Amino acid sequence: MRLFFSALAYNPHRLHVTAGLTALLGGWAGTARAQEAIPAPPPAAPEAAPPEAQPSLPPVPIPAPAPAPDLSAKLDEADQIARIAARKVELLEEQLAARAKDSPTVLADDKGLGIRSADGGTSVRVHGLVQADSRWFLRDSALSDRLDTFALRRVRPSIDGTLFNLADYRVVPDFAGSAAVLFDAYADIHPVAWARLRAGKFKPPLGLERLQSDPDVSLPERALTQYLTPTRDVGASLWGDIAGGLVNYNIGIYNGGFDNSNLDVDSNHAKDFVGRLLIQPFKTDALKELGALGLHVAASRGDRRGLPTATLLPQFRSAGLNNFFTYLAPTPDADGSRTVFAYLTQSRLNPGLFYYNGPLGVQGEAVWSRQQVRKGNAIKTLTHKAAHATVSLVIGGKAGYDGATPTRIFDLAKGALGALEIAARWNWLKADDATFPDFADITRSASRAKGWAGAVNYVPSRTLRLTAAYERTTFSGGGGTAAAPSNRNTEAVVFGRVQVNF
């Protein structure tokens, strides 16, 4: 080694070789020291035996399932929460019920709009009746030229109600004419069902058809019997139902309205006494399946003190609302000796009946009106009489004294169309033969009128009715001249009506 390094010392490149050799030797020495520091690897594991040579292992134990949690406590808790919620709802309902007892109730149905006190003892309702008509006269050009028309037959708003469960009240004006007319204004005190006191302006209990409400009559105009009973009168009556309505009685004292009148004041101190008895033998639970039968009889008596300037005598009108009978009242009549006026006693007798069973209805009555009249020094008692019979059939509903009622009100979504009522009527009125010629002119006033009528009413609900009707009336007398009297022309009129009533 010394010779080797000595030889290198004479080499020109000895510096470079020496440096390289030194680096080589240093790297060898470091590697040797590193290998000495690394521990010997562990002996290799013996090769695994083939699967078929492996010994079998014991089964791994499966842990038992955890016991189910006890839910009874949670169910009890949920049940308790539900009970608390239900009790809260009950308390809320009780509070609402208690509040309702102290709060008025708003009413809105086919019987009108209104409000009722919490205890139900006091109420007020607002109603309305509108009848929009058309009248078309046939065969008589003189009538059709003058009287074919659209008209408002009735426009009657009304208010009624109850006070403290003790008294009813009603106010009904009519705005259909050129001036408003008061039809009803009364109070009805009813401490018990069998004794009621009514006072004010209302219908006296005369005229079976007259006592029907206007929107419930089957034909557009009432029968000729209406001209022998008063429309309204002012007075007081005691009335009521006995045995649950099996018997209805009515007795009263009135100012004394003449036939077909609507007076607010009396012309003299004399008064009329009016009584009525209505028996309804089927108005019991055992017999109600037989229908509704009513036997009616009414009568009145009173004095009239008319004057030539206020005769207190009626005019008779046809179904087309044309006068066909008037008493003599010529103008001028300076001393009143040629004018006929009511003088002293008038009495009326009015029997009638009705029967309604399901869709079928029948009604009939007669009226005798006996009135003393005077013209100058001539005094005469005249008896006029009238009668009518009306039948009706309701398809899809039931007939009744209070009008046709559909079984199902109109509702297209449910296939309900309401009801259809078909009605027919025969009626007549005859003036006393002794009326002519001293008290009425046979060329201007007919001595007799006879008529028949038919109507079809579509009733989608109690609040709405559409009517098409025809009425034909013939007359005896009422035309021609004194030398050659003749009959008044037959009146034939077609009606159309749209009625709203609530």
Side-chain angles (χ1 to χ4, degrees):
M1 291 293 290
R2 191 178 293 175
L3 290 176
F4 176 73
F5 286 111
S6 298
L8 289 177
Y10 294 89
N11 191 329
H13 303 288
R14 64 182 182 276
L15 294 176
H16 295 285
V17 172
T18 303
L21 185 59
T22 301
L24 177 63
L25 293 175
W28 175 82
T31 301
R33 288 192 300 268
Q35 287 178 351
E36 292 176 359
I38 295 173
E47 278 189 26
E52 58 275 7
Q54 290 185 358
S56 59
L57 297 176
V60 179
I62 299 174
D70 186 3
L71 299 179
S72 59
K74 292 186 178 181
L75 290 175
D76 290 342
E77 181 182 358
D79 181 66
Q80 186 65 21
I81 293 173
R83 290 174 183 273
I84 293 173
R87 181 54 183 161
K88 288 182 177 180
V89 172
E90 289 178 0
L91 292 173
L92 180 59
E93 290 177 346
E94 290 172 1
Q95 292 174 0
L96 293 175
R99 187 175 299 177
K101 291 180 180 179
D102 298 328
S103 302
T105 302
V106 176
L107 307 170
D109 51 32
D110 60 353
K111 297 179 181 179
L113 309 175
I115 188 169
R116 183 174 58 208
S117 64
D119 61 1
T122 299
S123 66
V124 59
R125 276 187 178 266
V126 178
H127 307 269
L129 169 63
V130 176
Q131 292 177 339
D133 284 12
S134 64
R135 291 190 291 270
W136 310 94
F137 292 87
L138 310 176
R139 301 182 59 181
D140 190 334
S141 59
L143 291 178
S144 60
D145 288 346
R146 294 185 296 110
L147 300 175
D148 283 356
T149 185
F150 293 100
L152 289 174
R153 184 66 177 92
R154 293 178 178 89
V155 180
R156 296 182 182 175
S158 63
I159 299 174
D160 63 33
T162 302
L163 297 174
F164 313 114
N165 267 332
L166 179 63
D168 298 333
Y169 60 90
R170 183 173 174 83
V171 178
V172 184
D174 192 339
F175 298 99
S178 57
V181 177
L182 182 64
F183 273 76
D184 293 288
Y186 63 81
D188 194 15
I189 303 172
H190 48 85
V192 291
W194 54 267
R196 304 169 66 107
L197 177 64
R198 179 173 294 183
K201 185 177 183 181
F202 51 95
K203 293 180 181 180
L206 286 165
L208 184 61
E209 187 191 59
R210 169 79 76 187
L211 293 171
Q212 279 187 292
S213 295
D214 291 298
D216 298 335
V217 179
S218 298
L219 290 104
E221 296 298 328
R222 296 183 184 274
L224 293 169
T225 50
Q226 69 173 314
Y227 295 110
L228 301 184
T229 59
T231 301
R232 299 292 193 282
D233 207 348
V234 180
S237 70
L238 183 67
W239 67 285
D241 290 329
I242 300 175
L246 191 66
V247 176
N248 176 279
Y249 72 93
N250 193 319
I251 54 175
I253 180 171
Y254 301 85
N255 279 341
F258 60 90
D259 293 342
N260 200 40
S261 65
N262 184 4
L263 303 179
D264 293 322
V265 296
D266 201 353
S267 60
N268 59 76
H269 73 281
K271 298 294 178 280
D272 276 18
F273 296 91
V274 184
R276 180 209 193 199
L277 191 65
L278 175 66
I279 301 173
Q280 301 183 78
F282 298 160
K283 203 165 187 180
T284 63
D285 291 338
L287 300 176
K288 65 181 181 180
E289 298 299 328
L290 298 178
L293 173 64
L295 305 174
H296 152 101
V297 60
S300 71
R301 185 177 178 85
D303 283 353
R304 304 282 174 267
R305 304 293 176 90
L307 297 169
T309 54
T311 65
L312 303 185
L313 290 173
Q315 297 177 331
F316 302 152
R317 304 171 76 182
S318 65
L321 304 182
N322 297 305
N323 291 339
F324 68 84
F325 175 93
T326 57
Y327 288 93
L328 290 175
T331 55
D333 185 12
D335 60 1
S337 61
R338 295 182 297 162
T339 298
V340 182
F341 56 91
Y343 184 73
L344 299 180
T345 305
Q346 181 182 25
S347 60
R348 303 181 184 94
L349 179 62
N350 171 220
L353 63 84
F354 63 77
Y355 178 69
Y356 297 97
N357 193 352
L360 178 65
V362 178
Q363 183 188 126
E365 68 177 316
V367 184
W368 287 265
S369 177
R370 184 181 178 90
Q371 172 69 67
Q372 284 184 294
V373 297
R374 180 173 179 175
K375 185 184 75 169
N377 293 324
I379 300 173
K380 192 75 174 180
T381 299
L382 304 176
T383 301
H384 304 321
K385 50 192 175 182
H388 84 87
T390 304
V391 297
S392 60
L393 177 67
V394 180
I395 302 171
K398 66 177 182 178
Y401 188 69
D402 59 349
T405 302
T407 303
R408 301 172 64 197
I409 64 173
F410 180 84
D411 189 340
L412 278 181
K414 297 180 180 179
L417 300 178
L420 189 69
E421 180 184 29
I422 302 172
R425 181 179 66 205
W426 168 86
N427 62 166
W428 62 273
L429 184 151
K430 183 181 184 304
D432 195 314
D433 291 337
T435 306
F436 307 96
D438 294 334
F439 303 99
D441 183 354
I442 192 62
T443 66
R444 295 176 179 270
S445 297
S447 62
R448 182 194 297 264
K450 294 188 299 182
W452 63 268
V456 176
N457 301 313
Y458 174 51
V459 188
S461 73
R462 291 282 298 176
T463 57
L464 178 64
R465 186 166 77 176
L466 308 178
T467 298
Y470 172 83
E471 186 149 1
R472 183 178 186 272
T473 308
T474 59
F475 305 93
S476 297
T481 63
S486 62
N487 296 332
R488 180 186 177 95
N489 288 344
T490 296
E491 179 185 276
V493 58
V494 174
F495 298 90
R497 170 171 291 176
V498 175
Q499 172 180 290
V500 176
N501 177 49
F502 62 89

